[in-house]
Amino acid sequence: MTTAPYLIVIGGSAGGLHPILTLLPGLVASLPAAILIVLHRQSHYESVLTDLLSAKSTLPVKEASEKEPLLPATIYIAPADYHLLIETDHTFSLDDSEKVNFSRPSIDVTFTSAALAYGGRMTALLLSGANTDGTEGLIDVHDAGGTTAVQDPATADSDYMPRQAILHAPVDIILQPSEMAAFINRMAEV
């Protein structure tokens, strides 16, 4: 079983679900990358979120599991109340340590571990949210040679997270939700 040669990590909080639902229908079914979605959410929404995203996507959607390999053309969701890390062998690791930026899963934790595992073969996309989670991780992705993208704050339900990222991290591109699917499809071409 060959793991995904490229990784797209999408992080969001308050208001982050809307752009995800907008971009999913536009993703190509043969996407050679794995997509990992990290959303701040309550644990009792687990099955509802998977079902909701599956209804909008031609790609399979599943919650990430411990030691599971990242496969191409698959969308993974970070489980509620666990930090999701990417190991250097391109498998998942779940961690229930302290919250980071008041969040578990933390976008920063996932972005940073993905940068260590994938280096320049990854893209991090930060969406709407009300805290600074994701900014430090974007810096790590950039420093590892990956691509960093942020939702246009003018289109975000909660613009604090993308604004902080733009102010404090190297951001390669600022995207409207309507541009995100085409951007992901381009970045995944390896």
Side-chain angles (χ1 to χ4, degrees):
M1 183 181 320
T2 304
T3 59
Y6 198 88
L7 177 63
I8 310 284
V9 183
I10 302 170
S13 189
L17 185 58
H18 180 264
I20 291 170
L21 294 174
T22 300
L23 73 84
L24 286 179
L27 297 177
V28 296
S30 60
L31 197 71
I35 296 180
L36 174 53
I37 298 173
V38 181
L39 284 173
H40 298 163
R41 62 193 174 104
Q42 301 298 317
S43 59
H44 59 275
Y45 292 117
E46 284 180 25
S47 63
V48 174
L49 182 60
T50 303
D51 293 344
L52 179 63
L53 298 183
S54 292
K56 294 286 187 177
S57 176
T58 58
L59 301 170
V61 178
K62 60 186 302 191
E63 192 166 278
S65 299
E66 179 76 20
K67 299 299 176 201
E68 180 178 15
L70 284 85
L71 300 178
T74 305
I75 298 171
Y76 299 94
I77 303 169
D81 212 28
Y82 285 95
H83 295 306
L84 185 61
L85 295 95
I86 312 304
E87 300 293 337
T88 55
D89 64 354
H90 298 175
T91 61
F92 292 114
S93 179
L94 303 179
D95 177 74
D96 64 354
S97 62
E98 294 296 316
K99 292 182 177 185
V100 176
N101 291 313
F102 310 102
S103 305
R104 191 177 52 227
S106 164
I107 299 165
D108 275 334
V109 168
T110 304
F111 278 179
T112 297
S113 71
L116 292 171
Y118 272 88
R121 301 189 64 75
M122 74 160 293
T123 295
L125 170 59
L126 188 64
L127 305 176
S128 177
N131 70 19
T132 60
D133 196 18
T135 297
E136 289 298 320
L138 285 175
I139 294 168
D140 292 338
V141 169
H142 176 268
D143 290 350
T147 301
T148 58
V150 173
Q151 180 179 355
D152 183 342
T155 67
D157 289 345
S158 184
D159 69 358
Y160 190 77
M161 188 179 285
R163 280 194 194 287
Q164 290 304 302
I166 291 166
L167 288 173
H168 301 288
V171 174
D172 294 314
I173 188 166
I174 299 171
L175 297 165
Q176 306 285 319
S178 61
E179 301 169 323
M180 292 177 184
F183 170 75
I184 289 170
N185 290 335
R186 272 194 320 274
M187 294 309 299
E189 293 174 359
V190 290

